[in-house]
Amino acid sequence: MKSLIDKLERENTLSKEEWITLLESKIDTEYLFERARKVQSENYGNDVYIRGLIEISNYCKNDCLYCGIRCSNKNVKRYRLTKEEILSCCKNGYELGFRTFVLQGGEDKFYTDDLMCDIIKSIKKNHPDCAITLSIGEKTKETYQKYKNAGADRYLLRHETADKKHYQSLHPEKMSFENRQKCLFDLKEVGFQVGCGFMVGSPYQTSETLAKDMLFIKKLNPHMVGIGPFISQKDSPFKDMKNGSADKTLIFVALLRLMLPNALLPATTALGTLLEDGREKGILAGANVVMPNLSPKFAKENYTLYDNKLSTGCEEASHLLELKKRIEKIGYKIVISRGDYKERRK
């Protein structure tokens, strides 16, 4: 299927039928990854950006069937970081060289608009040269505007799946497929750098649902796309479901690089969980972002979206030097910068 890979690189798009054909064929991964690295190099050189991940809360009002911090899971030890704890994580991260902080959490009503905006403003006051990324779920457009006005720069919200029936198989009835997509377009209108994404190998996923994902991502034209393999969680309804494939995830990283040449693509924690060298392989497939964890130890231990989450070694911010060496070993370099989205080089 080199012809479809070449077309994707040339035109940055495929039809639904072409996507299905490609996804159901035997892909020459060596060729695909080579093309993805070429496009990656044309737009970002050999730079890899680091983001400091801060998991602010594992309380969540939602009950997604795949998630370990779903509201009905009684086995989770719940926590919330205070404003002071969040600012302390940022201070530590700044000293280590981080210039982007990612505040991620469940959909926790404790963090009111006023509190969240106060936290954002305080981080910006302390570190005016840093970017703030939020990943705290579905909000109203009015709330997104407040976050933006307070100084937030980016927002991550995985669309999970672009197929309504598939979405309904992963989420409880009260969660809206339409609202999830509306939020992403609202975020773009407000002026955020926006990230979406999905799990590779999630239950009931098919080549057709994946084709729809790629078409939706192309339509949204996000600045970031976060994908990782589905990994089951022992306290969720999907506890006995088969994990997604790391190899297939790498293929999608490369395909996304060809479709969105200038996107920011992370080599995700989930990829590093399934493969010891998952981050390196992600970068060699076209990714250009890694997100070491700046959260306190108790938070990392209890932010259990899925089982066996990578939380030691390079995932510790204090081991950043080791991560740098691993990245350099494959011919790339971690840069100290905000790592903003770049418009495509002509």
Side-chain angles (χ1 to χ4, degrees), residues 230-336:
F230 164 75
I231 302 176
S232 64
Q233 205 281 332
K234 60 183 175 57
D235 297 315
S236 77
F238 290 164
K239 62 183 179 182
D240 297 321
M241 294 290 192
K242 181 181 176 183
N243 285 343
S245 162
D247 289 338
K248 192 170 183 179
T249 303
L250 292 170
I251 287 171
F252 273 96
V253 170
L255 293 173
L256 284 163
R257 174 57 66 203
L258 297 183
M259 185 173 78
L260 302 173
N262 48 337
L264 295 160
L265 301 178
T268 58
T269 301
L271 194 53
T273 298
L274 289 189
L275 295 174
E276 185 180 352
D277 58 349
R279 281 174 163 163
E280 291 95 320
K281 285 186 173 177
I283 291 165
L284 291 170
N288 63 336
V289 172
V290 290
M291 296 200 294
N293 203 322
L294 292 171
S295 307
K297 188 171 185 288
F298 70 86
K300 283 200 283 276
E301 290 173 349
N302 293 293
Y303 199 78
T304 50
L305 302 183
Y306 49 83
D307 288 344
N308 305 311
K309 190 182 77 165
L310 182 67
S311 60
T312 56
C314 280
E315 186 66 5
E316 297 278 356
S318 58
H319 289 71
L320 187 60
L321 184 59
E322 181 191 344
L323 178 61
K324 286 181 177 179
K325 288 178 179 176
R326 290 176 66 164
I327 299 301
E328 287 170 1
K329 194 173 180 180
I330 60 170
Y332 291 80
K333 68 178 191 294
I334 285 177
V335 293
I336 294 180

Side-chain angles (χ1 to χ4, degrees), residues 65-292:
L65 276 65
Y66 49 82
C67 186
I69 64 169
R70 61 199 306 261
C71 63
S72 65
N73 185 2
K74 305 304 179 187
N75 296 325
V76 181
K77 185 177 180 181
R78 304 287 179 176
Y79 74 87
R80 292 183 177 107
L81 298 189
T82 63
K83 173 187 172 183
E84 290 69 30
E85 287 172 323
I86 294 169
L87 294 180
S88 175
C89 291
C90 293
K91 181 176 183 294
N92 176 48
Y94 190 87
E95 291 170 356
L96 286 164
F98 289 87
R99 294 298 179 266
T100 288
F101 303 115
V102 181
L103 275 52
Q104 182 182 70
E107 296 201 17
D108 185 355
K109 294 181 180 179
F110 172 81
Y111 295 93
T112 62
D113 290 357
D114 287 345
L115 176 56
M116 206 65 230
C117 289
D118 180 47
I119 291 170
I120 294 165
K121 289 176 182 176
S122 298
I123 296 172
K124 281 289 189 177
K125 180 181 178 183
N126 294 345
H127 310 292
D129 56 333
C130 291
I132 297 174
T133 301
L134 302 178
S135 182
I136 50 178
E138 297 178 22
K139 310 289 181 183
T140 64
K141 189 175 182 181
E142 179 185 21
T143 291
Y144 289 146
Q145 187 67 64
K146 289 179 181 178
Y147 294 163
K148 189 74 174 64
N149 293 346
D153 303 277
R154 309 179 187 128
Y155 204 104
L156 307 176
L157 180 67
R158 285 190 173 186
H159 68 280
E160 302 299 358
T161 174
D163 181 280
K164 184 172 183 177
K165 186 177 179 182
H166 186 216
Y167 185 91
Q168 291 170 334
S169 73
L170 303 177
H171 301 89
E173 274 187 37
K174 65 179 182 180
M175 289 187 68
S176 166
F177 170 78
E178 289 81 9
N179 190 63
R180 176 61 63 115
Q181 295 198 357
K182 178 181 182 296
C183 285
L184 284 162
F185 286 101
D186 284 348
L187 285 161
K188 285 202 79 174
E189 286 183 22
V190 164
F192 277 102
Q193 290 183 37
V194 177
C196 64
F198 60 92
M199 297 176 291
V200 177
S202 62
Y204 316 115
Q205 191 176 69
T206 65
S207 297
E208 183 173 5
T209 59
L210 286 164
K212 288 181 178 180
D213 281 321
M214 300 304 274
L215 293 170
F216 171 76
I217 292 170
K218 183 64 180 177
K219 176 183 176 184
L220 178 66
N221 193 27
H223 306 84
M224 305 165 278
V225 185
I227 63 166
F230 164 75
I231 302 176
S232 64
Q233 205 281 332
K234 60 183 175 57
D235 297 315
S236 77
F238 290 164
K239 62 183 179 182
D240 297 321
M241 294 290 192
K242 181 181 176 183
N243 285 343
S245 162
D247 289 338
K248 192 170 183 179
T249 303
L250 292 170
I251 287 171
F252 273 96
V253 170
L255 293 173
L256 284 163
R257 174 57 66 203
L258 297 183
M259 185 173 78
L260 302 173
N262 48 337
L264 295 160
L265 301 178
T268 58
T269 301
L271 194 53
T273 298
L274 289 189
L275 295 174
E276 185 180 352
D277 58 349
R279 281 174 163 163
E280 291 95 320
K281 285 186 173 177
I283 291 165
L284 291 170
N288 63 336
V289 172
V290 290
M291 296 200 294

Side-chain angles (χ1 to χ4, degrees), residues 19-32:
W19 275 119
I20 292 172
T21 298
L22 180 59
L23 297 176
E24 292 184 347
S25 67
K26 183 172 175 57
I27 294 176
D28 183 341
T29 53
E30 186 176 341
Y31 181 74
L32 172 62

